[in-house]
C-alpha cells in the first residue's frame, strides 16, 4: 500500500495539455486493462486537484473515454465532468447520452454512479434529463440504486424546487418509506428531511405507527442510517405520555452505539420525548440512562470530548439529574487541550455541592498552579464563584484564595482580587479581615478589571481602611491614562471616601469631579460626575443613601441561558449550535428553528433563570424601595426645585469651558450645564457650529 501511495505522488506535477492528450489517446490494442489511459487520467485528476484549469481543454477527449467499460476509468471521467461541467456546459451536454446509457448497465454500481454524477451537475440540461431517469431508478431492483435515487431527489430539489414540486417525485420518495430495505428507508427519510428543511410549503408529519416502524428497523441500518431515522423522530409529536415513554425506551439501546453521532442524536431525541412524559419516576430513569453514554464519549478524541462537554453543559441546565454523581470524570488530565480543560472547569462548577466541595477545592488548587495562564485564571475565578454559590464553603474558598495570593504570582493576584470583590458583595461585613492582605499587593495590579475591583474595595470600605485616601491618591496619579472602566471606579470610590470620611476626601472630590467633567470625552464618565456633583451639592444624606445604598444581590449562576434559548438548544443537541450556545438560526442562516409542538401531553417546564425576576421575588420592589415613595422623600420634594436652582447657579459660576463637548479646541465660546436649558452648540469664528452634523 505504501509503495502505491509513493508511486501516485509522482502524478502530482503540472502537466501540459498536449502531452496528456497524446498519452490519453495512445495505447495499443494489446493493453486490455487500459493501463496507459488510467495513468493519464490519474495525472489529469491530480492536475485538476491542484486547480490547473488548463485541463478543461481535454473535455472532448474525456467524454470519448466515458464509454470504456471500466469502473475505475468511469469514476475518473465522471469526476472530471462534475468539476468542469459548469465551465463548459456546451461540451458537457455531449456526455448526457453516455450517462443515460450507463443507467441501463447491468452493474448496479455503474447505474448508481451515473445517476449520482448527473445529480451533482447544476446545468439545466442535466437537471431536466435526470427527472425521468430518477423516476425509473426509484423502482430499481437493487437497493443501492434506490438509495442513490432517494438522495438524487433531494439534490434535484436543491437545483430546481419548483420543477420537483410540480412532478410526483416527492410522492414517489414517500413511497420508498415502505421499502423492504432499511437502508433505503433511511435514505428516503434523509431526502425528505432535507427537502422539508428547505421548503416552507412541505410539512413532515410522522404519526405513532410510522415512528414505531422506523424504530423497529433501527438495528438493521448503518450508523448514518440510524442517525437519519433518529433525526426524523424529532418531527413526531406524541399525543399520549405512554407513547413518548415507550418510544424513548425502545431507542435507548442506541445510547451504547460506538458512533458518537448516533449517541448524541439519540440523547437529543430522548430529551425531546421527556417533554411529553408526566411521570417523574420515568423521567428520572431516563436521566440515569443518559449519564453513562456522555461519560463514555469522554474517552474519545478531544474534538468529540469537547462536543460532549458542551452538550453536557446544556443538559445539566435542563435536567440536573443527569451526571449528578459523576463529577470525578470531569477532572482535567494533564494532556487535555485547553478548550477541553476550560469546559470541564465549567462542568465541575455546575456539579459542585456541599458534599463534594472539599474534593473540588483540592482539584482546583492543583489547576491554579499549572503553567497555562488562561487556565489558571479560570481556576481561580471558579474558586471565587464557588464561594458565592455554596455559602457554607465560603470560608474554605477564601482561605484557598489567600493561599494563592501569597504566591505573589501577578495574574493569580489580579484574578483573586476580582473574585474577592464579588465575595464582599455577596457576604457584606463578614470577610473584611482579608482587605489588609489585598492592600499589600497593590503593586501587582496592572489590568483594568483587577484595578477597578481593588478601587471598589477601597471605596466601599474606606471607613475601615486607615490609609484609604492615600491608596486612592496613588491610583489617581494616573487617572487620565486609565481605561474608562477604572476611571468610573475611581470616581465612585472617591465620592464614597468623601461620604464616609469627609475630612479625608474633601480635597480629592473636587479634583476628581473637575477631571471627569472637564477633561474627558467619555459621556458615561462625564454624566456620572455631574450626577455626583449635584447630589453632593444638594443633600449629603440623599447622596449617602444613593451612593452607599444596598447593592443588588449577586449570584454565581448568571451564565445560565434563558428558558427559550435553553429549550431550543436541547432540541439541537449534537449540532454546531450547541458548541456556540447560540440559537440555530444565528449559526446556520437558513436553518429551520426547532420548538416544542403543542400536544395534550406536553409538559411545560418552568426554568428559573438567575438574574430574571420571578413573580413573588423580593426583587419586585415598589418605587418606595428606591427612595421615591417614602415619607422623607415626599418632604424633600418641596425643596428639590430650590436645590436644583442652587446647583445650576453653582455650575454657572464654576464651569465655563474653553472647549466643546467633542474635544475640539475652543474659540472663545462656552456653555453651562443647566437642568432646564437646552445645550447650545459652540460657534466658531465663522459663525458655524463645530461638528454640526453631530450637534444639530
Amino acid at each position: 500500500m505504501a509503495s502505491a501511495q509513493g508511486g501516485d505522488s509522482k502524478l502530482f506535477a503540472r502537466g501540459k495539455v498536449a502531452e496528456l492528450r497524446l498519452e490519453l489517446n495512445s495505447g495499443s490494442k494489446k493493453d486490455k486493462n487500459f493501463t496507459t489511459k488510467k495513468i493519464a487520467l490519474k495525472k489529469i485528476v491530480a492536475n485538476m486537484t491542484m486547480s490547473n484549469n488548463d485541463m478543461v481543454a481535454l473535455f472532448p477527449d474525456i467524454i470519448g473515454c466515458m464509454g470504456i467499460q471500466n469502473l475505475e476509468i468511469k469514476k475518473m471521467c465522471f469526476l472530471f465532468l462534475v468539476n468542469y461541467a459548469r465551465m463548459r456546459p456546451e461540451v458537457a451536454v455531449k456526455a448526457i447520452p453516455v450517462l443515460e446509457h450507463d443507467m441501463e448497465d447491468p452493474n448496479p454500481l455503474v447505474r448508481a454512479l451515473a445517476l449520482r454524477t448527473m445529480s451533482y451537475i447544476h446545468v439545466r440540461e442535466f437537471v431536466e434529463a435526470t427527472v425521468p431517469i430518477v423516476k425509473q431508478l426509484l423502482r430499481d431492483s437493487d437497493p443501492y440504486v434506490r438509495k442513490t435515487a432517494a438522495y438524487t431527489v433531494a439534490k434535484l430539489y436543491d437545483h430546481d424546487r419548483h420543477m420537483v414540486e410540480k412532478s410526483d417525485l416527492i410522492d414517489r420518495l414517500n413511497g420508498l418509506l415502505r421499502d423492504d430495505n432499511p437502508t433505503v428507508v433511511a435514505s428516503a427519510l434523509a431526502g425528505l428531511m432535507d427537502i422539508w428543511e428547505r421548503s416552507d410549503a412541505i410539512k413532515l408529519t410522522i404519526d405513532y405507527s410510522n415512528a414505531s416502524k422506523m424504530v423497529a428497523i433501527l438495528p438493521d441500518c448503518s450508523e448514518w442510517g440510524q442517525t437519519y431515522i433518529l433525526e426524523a423522530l424529532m418531527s413526531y409529536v406524541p399525543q399520549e405520555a405512554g407513547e413518548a415513554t415507550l418510544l424513548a425506551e425502545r431507542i435507548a439501546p442506541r445510547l451504547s452505539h460506538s458512533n458518537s453521532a448516533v449517541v448524541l442524536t439519540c440523547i437529543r431525541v430522548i430529551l425531546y420525548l421527556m417533554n411529553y412524559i408526566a411521570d417523574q419516576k420515568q423521567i428520572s430513569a431516563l436521566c440515569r440512562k443518559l449519564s453513562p453514554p456522555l461519560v463514555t464519549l469522554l474517552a474519545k478524541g478531544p474534538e468529540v470530548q469537547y462536543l460532549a462537554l458542551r452538550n453536557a453543559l446544556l443538559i445539566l441546565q435542563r435536567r440536573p439529574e443527569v451526571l449528578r454523581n459523576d463529577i470525578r470524570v470531569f477532572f482535567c488530565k494533564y494532556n487535555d487541550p485547553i478548550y477541553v480543560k476550560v469546559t470541564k472547569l465549567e462542568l465541575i462548577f455546575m456539579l459542585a455541592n456541599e458534599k463534594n466541595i472539599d474534593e473540588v477545592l483540592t482539584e482546583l488548587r492543583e489547576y491554579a498552579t499549572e503553567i497555562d495562564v488562561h487556565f489558571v485564571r479560570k481556576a481561580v475565578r471558579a474558586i471565587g464563584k464557588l464561594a458565592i454559590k455554596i455559602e457554607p464553603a465560603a470560608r474554605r474558598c477564601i482561605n484557598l484564595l489567600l493561599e494563592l495570593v501569597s504566591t505573589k504570582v501577578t495574574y493569580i493576584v489580579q484574578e483573586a482580587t476580582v473574585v474577592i470583590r464579588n465575595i464582599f458583595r455577596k457576604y457584606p461585613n463578614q470577610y473584611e479581615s482579608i482587605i489588609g492582605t489585598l492592600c499589600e499587593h497593590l503593586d501587582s495590579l496592572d489590568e483594568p478589571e483587577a484595578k477597578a475591583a481593588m478601587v471598589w474595595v477601597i471605596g466601599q470600605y474606606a471607613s475601615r481602611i486607615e490609609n484609604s485616601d492615600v491608596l486612592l491618591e496613588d491610583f489617581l496619579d494616573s487617572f487620565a491614562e486609565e481605561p474608562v472602566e477604572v476611571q468610573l471606579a475611581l470616581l465612585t470610590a472617591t465620592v464614597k471616601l468623601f461620604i464616609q470620611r469627609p475630612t479625608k476626601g474633601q480635597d480629592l472630590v473636587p479634583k476628581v469631579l473637575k477631571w471627569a467633567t472637564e477633561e474627558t470625552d467619555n459621556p458615561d464618565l462625564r454624566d456620572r460626575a455631574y450626577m455626583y456633583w449635584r447630589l453632593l451639592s444638594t443633600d449629603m444624606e440623599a447622596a449617602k443613601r444613593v451612593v452607599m445604598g444596598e447593592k443588588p444581590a449577586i449570584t454565581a449562576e448568571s451564565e445560565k441561558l434563558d428558558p427559550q434559548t435553553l429549550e431550543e438548544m436541547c432540541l439541537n443537541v449534537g449540532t454546531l449550535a450547541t458548541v456556540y450556545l447560540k440559537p440555530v438560526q444565528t449559526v446556520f442562516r437558513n436553518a429551520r428553528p426547532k420548538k416544542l409542538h403543542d400536544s395534550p401531553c406536553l409538559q411545560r417546564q418552568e426554568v428559573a433563570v438567575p438574574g430574571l425576576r420571578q413573580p413573588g421575588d423580593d426583587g419586585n420592589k415598589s418605587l418606595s424601595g428606591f427612595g421615591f415613595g417614602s415619607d422623607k422623600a415626599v418632604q424633600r420634594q418641596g425643596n428639590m426645585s430650590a436645590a436644583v436652582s442652587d446647583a445650576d447657579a453653582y455650575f454657572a459660576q464654576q464651569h465655563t469651558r474653553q472647549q466643546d463637548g467633542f474635544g475640539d479646541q475652543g474659540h472663545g465660546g462656552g456653555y453651562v450645564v443647566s437642568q432646564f436649558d437646552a445645550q447650545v452648540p459652540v460657534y466658531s469664528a465663522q459663525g458655524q457650529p463645530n461638528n454640526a452634523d453631530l450637534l444639530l
Side-chain angles (χ1 to χ4, degrees):
M1 188 73 177
S3 61
Q5 289 176 346
D8 286 348
S9 65
K10 297 176 183 178
L11 302 172
F12 285 85
R14 288 199 173 265
K16 294 181 180 178
V17 173
E19 293 174 0
L20 288 170
R21 180 180 284 119
L22 187 63
E23 193 173 342
L24 189 63
N25 294 325
S26 64
S28 61
K29 293 181 181 179
K30 295 180 181 179
D31 188 7
K32 294 181 180 179
N33 292 326
F34 308 103
T35 307
T36 308
K37 287 188 183 297
K38 286 179 185 177
I39 293 171
L41 283 166
K42 284 180 180 179
K43 288 180 181 178
I44 293 168
V45 170
N47 275 270
M48 187 176 70
T49 308
M50 295 187 294
S51 301
N52 183 2
N53 286 333
D54 293 342
M55 297 296 108
V56 74
L58 294 169
F59 221 137
D61 305 278
I62 295 293
I63 291 175
C65 294
M66 283 183 184
I68 299 173
Q69 293 304 308
N70 181 287
L71 192 58
E72 191 177 355
I73 288 177
K74 282 186 179 295
K75 283 181 179 178
M76 288 189 281
C77 290
F78 290 168
L79 183 62
F80 183 96
L81 177 64
V82 169
N83 268 273
Y84 290 127
R86 295 187 73 172
M87 291 176 67
R88 297 285 298 276
E90 72 284 355
V91 182
V93 294
K94 296 178 181 177
I96 293 177
V98 181
L99 290 166
E100 289 175 336
H101 180 265
D102 283 341
M103 288 184 208
E104 297 174 359
D105 194 282
N107 186 345
L109 291 176
V110 175
R111 296 202 299 275
L113 180 63
L115 180 60
R116 187 186 302 129
T117 303
M118 281 194 80
S119 67
Y120 278 139
I121 300 170
H122 192 62
V123 174
R124 168 58 53 188
E125 290 82 2
F126 279 85
V127 174
E128 290 175 350
T130 308
V131 173
I133 297 168
V134 77
K135 287 181 181 179
Q136 178 186 341
L137 294 184
L138 281 168
R139 299 191 304 269
D140 195 272
S141 58
D142 192 275
Y144 182 71
V145 179
R146 296 200 299 277
K147 181 193 86 165
T148 307
Y151 289 133
T152 301
V153 176
K155 288 175 190 169
L156 287 174
Y157 191 83
D158 186 34
H159 295 327
D160 190 343
R161 62 176 60 192
H162 299 295
M163 182 182 68
V164 174
E165 287 172 0
K166 288 176 183 176
S167 68
D168 60 346
L169 281 174
I170 295 176
D171 294 333
R172 290 171 183 262
L173 193 57
N174 267 312
L176 279 189
L177 295 176
R178 295 185 290 274
D179 199 279
D180 298 331
N181 189 288
T183 305
V184 176
V185 175
S187 303
L189 266 174
L192 286 168
M193 287 182 64
D194 191 72
I195 292 170
W196 171 69
E197 282 278 349
R198 298 168 188 274
S199 171
D200 296 326
I202 297 170
K203 292 183 179 180
L204 185 64
T205 53
I206 298 174
D207 58 16
Y208 181 70
S209 175
N210 288 330
S212 186
K213 289 175 185 175
M214 287 157 58
V215 172
I217 64 170
L218 268 174
D220 302 320
C221 292
S222 66
E223 51 196 21
W224 294 113
Q226 292 183 34
T227 307
Y228 296 142
I229 289 174
L230 290 168
E231 283 269 5
L233 287 173
M234 295 290 290
S235 299
Y236 161 65
V237 182
Q239 298 301 308
E240 296 177 11
E243 293 179 2
T245 305
L246 185 58
L247 209 59
E249 291 291 345
R250 288 178 65 188
I251 66 171
R254 300 300 102 203
L255 292 170
S256 58
H257 200 282
S258 59
N259 186 290
S260 53
V262 175
V263 173
L264 285 169
T265 312
C266 186
I267 290 173
R268 187 199 314 170
V269 178
I270 291 176
L271 285 171
Y272 165 70
L273 293 172
M274 279 185 193
N275 294 292
Y276 298 91
I277 300 174
D279 190 346
Q280 286 301 317
K281 289 183 180 179
Q282 291 171 339
I283 290 177
S284 298
L286 288 170
C287 285
R288 286 194 295 272
K289 289 182 179 180
L290 294 182
S291 183
L294 280 170
V295 172
T296 305
L297 289 175
L298 298 180
K300 295 183 179 287
E303 293 81 8
V304 176
Q305 276 189 57
Y306 182 63
L307 182 61
L309 291 167
R310 296 299 287 180
N311 284 285
L313 286 173
L314 282 174
I315 295 167
L316 270 175
Q317 289 185 47
R318 184 72 170 181
R319 303 287 178 184
E321 293 173 76
V322 182
L323 301 167
R324 178 172 285 169
N325 302 315
D326 292 319
I327 193 167
R328 290 186 64 86
V329 300
F330 298 112
F331 287 172
C332 301
K333 300 175 184 174
Y334 75 95
N335 58 347
D336 281 338
I338 183 63
Y339 55 87
V340 170
K341 284 183 176 180
V342 170
T343 314
K344 282 185 175 180
L345 209 54
E346 292 181 46
L347 280 161
I348 290 170
F349 169 75
M350 290 181 73
L351 292 167
N353 52 42
E354 286 186 52
K355 294 179 182 177
N356 58 26
I357 186 64
D358 290 325
E359 188 178 18
V360 169
L361 289 179
T362 304
E363 191 72 13
L364 292 177
R365 180 191 284 111
E366 294 295 321
Y367 300 162
T369 56
E370 287 204 8
I371 298 172
D372 192 300
V373 176
H374 179 64
F375 184 52
V376 170
R377 286 176 179 275
K378 290 282 187 182
V380 174
R381 188 155 293 208
I383 296 169
K385 286 169 67 180
L386 284 173
I388 296 169
K389 177 184 177 184
I390 306 171
E391 187 169 348
R395 172 55 69 182
R396 278 170 283 176
C397 295
I398 290 170
N399 290 337
L400 178 53
L401 286 171
L402 292 177
E403 181 186 326
L404 294 170
V405 167
S406 65
T407 61
K408 298 185 178 180
V409 178
T410 306
Y411 52 86
I412 292 180
V413 173
Q414 300 196 122
E415 205 64 40
T417 305
V418 173
V419 295
I420 287 173
R421 185 261 313 267
N422 294 335
I423 292 171
F424 284 162
R425 282 192 59 187
K426 175 69 174 177
Y427 308 112
N429 306 317
Q430 288 189 39
Y431 301 108
E432 283 76 9
S433 57
I434 67 174
I435 292 175
T437 308
L438 288 180
C439 292
E440 292 172 8
H441 298 87
L442 288 180
D443 295 337
S444 303
L445 306 178
D446 56 12
E447 293 180 359
E449 191 179 7
K451 276 188 177 181
M454 191 65 223
V455 168
W456 182 90
V457 171
I458 295 170
Q460 187 69 20
Y461 299 101
S463 58
R464 304 188 191 186
I465 302 172
E466 188 176 345
N467 61 336
S468 53
D469 56 327
V470 178
L471 296 176
L472 273 181
E473 274 193 275
D474 290 342
F475 281 107
L476 288 169
D477 286 341
S478 57
F479 182 85
E481 291 79 35
E482 296 290 357
V484 174
E485 179 184 358
V486 180
Q487 288 179 335
L488 287 167
L490 282 168
L491 173 61
T492 303
T494 309
V495 174
K496 286 180 178 178
L497 171 68
F498 176 66
I499 287 171
Q500 294 177 73
R501 305 175 72 180
T503 54
K504 294 284 186 182
Q506 63 184 358
D507 295 330
L508 289 179
V509 164
K511 190 194 310 181
V512 175
L513 288 175
K514 192 175 187 323
W515 287 341
T517 53
E518 296 184 12
E519 298 178 16
T520 181
D521 293 332
N522 187 277
D524 293 335
L525 182 62
R526 196 165 56 228
D527 289 349
R528 186 182 293 191
Y530 285 144
M531 183 193 73
Y532 284 149
W533 206 330
R534 288 191 176 189
L535 269 174
L536 294 174
S537 62
T538 304
D539 186 345
M540 278 294 292
E541 285 302 314
K544 186 174 182 178
R545 280 192 296 274
V546 170
V547 178
M548 300 300 297
E550 186 180 345
K551 307 293 182 295
I554 187 171
T555 70
E557 308 287 338
S558 56
E559 291 86 356
K560 282 194 173 182
L561 297 171
D562 65 89
Q564 289 77 19
T565 306
L566 181 59
E567 181 180 290
E568 186 182 352
M569 289 291 96
C570 287
L571 298 177
N572 288 282
V573 165
T575 66
L576 199 58
T578 56
V579 174
Y580 293 109
L581 292 182
K582 291 183 178 179
V584 68
Q585 279 188 304
T586 63
V587 181
F588 305 106
R589 190 180 306 152
N590 298 321
R592 184 189 294 270
K594 295 181 181 177
K595 60 181 180 180
L596 292 174
H597 298 283
D598 286 329
S599 164
C601 60
L602 177 61
Q603 308 295 313
R604 280 289 177 188
Q605 191 175 24
E606 293 297 330
V607 183
V609 180
L612 294 180
R613 291 177 183 164
Q614 302 296 326
D617 283 356
D618 293 336
N620 290 331
K621 296 183 179 178
S622 64
L623 283 176
S624 61
F626 293 101
F628 289 100
S630 63
D631 294 338
K632 290 183 179 179
V634 174
Q635 293 170 9
R636 287 196 307 272
Q637 200 166 5
N639 299 325
M640 186 58 71
S641 58
V644 169
S645 300
D646 292 343
D648 287 339
Y650 175 78
F651 281 115
Q653 295 170 6
Q654 301 293 329
H655 189 133
T656 302
R657 295 194 186 185
Q658 294 303 315
Q659 61 179 34
D660 70 24
F662 294 92
D664 290 347
Q665 294 303 312
H667 299 279
Y671 61 78
V672 175
V673 177
S674 169
Q675 181 186 5
F676 304 109
D677 296 330
Q679 182 170 304
V680 180
V682 180
Y683 282 82
S684 64
Q686 287 77 22
Q688 294 299 324
N690 296 328
N691 296 333
D693 55 334
L694 294 172
L695 288 168
L696 291 181

